[in-house]
Amino acid sequence: MSALIALDDAALAALVKECGQPAFRAKQLREYALKGVPVEKMSSLPKPMREKLVADGVASLAVSVVQKRTSAVDGTTKFLFALEDGNVVEGVLMRYEYGSSVCVSTQVGCAMGCKFCASTLDGKIRDLTAAEMLSEVIAAAAEGAVNHVVLMGSGEPLDNYDQTVEFIRRLCVDLGLSRRHIALSTCGLCEAMDRLSREQYAPVLTVSLHAPDDELRKRIMPIALRYSVKQVVAAAKRYFEATSRRVIFEYSLIDGFNDTIECAKKLAAQLKGFPCHVNLIRLNPVKERGLAGSDKTAVKTFSDALTAMGVSNTVRRTLGADIDGACGQLRRKYLGGEP
Ligand code: SAH
């Protein structure tokens, strides 16, 4: 491992010793790495030390930016990060009025198989390490101060539990983010949701529901074969009780599939009495998937129906539509697959 960000105190101390330098250099290395400063620009280190580190292939971060595209429409920046083994993952920096939010990938590819998502077309390649996820955030922060982190890039974070929890811990401890400013999105792995609710740095939880009943959900999300909508909602309620944080449900509106008034009624019934929030987003069409997003009128009708039934909801803007904003699209294009 040649990234400083991945080294613990003992490993940093050993590296400093190997360079023949005094112990305090370890702290300097850590601070530089957390800011993403390239080794050759670590100006308070002696030149021979920097040269040795560069010659040994030591870098600050465990990812490097291979492509960066900024939307002319909304300023969203999409990154393609290369990992040390040559795999690539995506990350996105979204700019809002209150600051910037970084969306990170937690796995290369994804094993969950959702029928509308580009990330899972080739299955899961591997899990990311906590240091790789942290590197995505630090690399993106070069474009603007980061106030929020969302684990909503490619991958299922709860299918990479230990590294994900360690990543969240480091966001809080090393970068000083509040866990209230970190949101983790899951397709609904119920046992892992329970486990997460007991973590010291339990983040805001977002659950991808996308369908109001098991029959429809099974058609687009294989995970629905394992957990029913009722089980997922019950786990979300337990999360709310354990953390006192409002849970958010993601619901992507797919034309003619889950966007009818009947579906809105069923969804309201599932969430009745649960003080949660629903994020509605028009499906971002992925060519291979053959599914279309609902039109504007259908989105508004669905949202109004939920509101009338007492379900708090927001229609989310689609950011970065001109830069392959949806999950996995940019990576596929880069790898030669059609977006
Ligand atoms: N595996 C996690 C997080 C990654 S996906 C999860 O399932 O929640 C982040 C969000 O984007 C999820 O809600 C996912 O369902 C949604 N998503 C994936 N592809 C999409 C698409 N083409 N259009 C709209 N939303 C999409």
Side-chain angles (χ1 to χ4, degrees), residues 110 116-118 151-153 155-157 185-187 208 210 250 252 281-286 326-327:
C110 182
F116 45 81
C117 181
L151 286 75
M152 293 186 190
E156 167 49 51
S185 183
T186 178
C187 62
S208 301
H210 303 317
E250 296 288 337
S252 297
I281 184 156
R282 215 182 139 257
L283 183 86
N284 215 332
V286 175
C327 314

Side-chain angles (χ1 to χ4, degrees), residues 143-287:
E143 295 290 310
V146 171
N147 325 77
H148 287 74
V149 171
V150 296
L151 286 75
M152 293 186 190
S154 72
E156 167 49 51
L158 297 184
D159 181 42
N160 179 16
Y161 190 89
D162 292 342
Q163 291 300 314
T164 292
V165 167
E166 170 61 6
F167 164 55
I168 294 170
R169 188 193 68 79
R170 290 193 68 181
L171 284 176
C172 297
V173 174
D174 292 346
L175 297 190
L177 276 182
S178 158
R179 67 190 177 99
R180 287 184 293 281
H181 288 183
I182 303 168
L184 180 151
S185 183
T186 178
C187 62
L189 304 181
C190 296
E191 287 88 3
M193 287 159 69
D194 283 335
R195 199 173 155 203
L196 189 69
S197 74
R198 295 188 290 270
E199 297 287 349
Q200 184 183 359
Y201 298 103
V204 173
L205 185 70
T206 296
V207 181
S208 301
L209 205 56
H210 303 317
D213 64 31
D214 295 331
E215 194 215 316
L216 280 187
R217 198 162 189 260
K218 279 178 196 164
R219 283 166 53 190
I220 50 170
M221 299 178 73
I223 195 66
L225 299 167
R226 198 168 351 145
Y227 303 105
S228 66
V229 171
K230 282 214 157 37
Q231 283 174 305
V232 173
V233 173
K237 280 184 182 159
R238 291 194 296 276
Y239 196 91
F240 172 65
E241 279 152 21
T243 62
S244 311
R245 299 270 152 236
R246 195 159 71 144
V247 172
I248 298 162
F249 289 99
E250 296 288 337
Y251 196 100
S252 297
L253 289 157
I254 306 173
D255 184 37
F257 176 75
N258 63 358
D259 61 352
T260 60
I261 290 295
E262 195 53 38
C263 286
K265 281 184 187 159
K266 281 187 187 167
L267 180 61
Q270 294 281 8
L271 303 180
K272 199 171 173 351
F274 182 23
C276 58
H277 186 79
V278 176
N279 272 342
L280 298 172
I281 184 156
R282 215 182 139 257
L283 183 86
N284 215 332
V286 175
K287 212 169 154 193

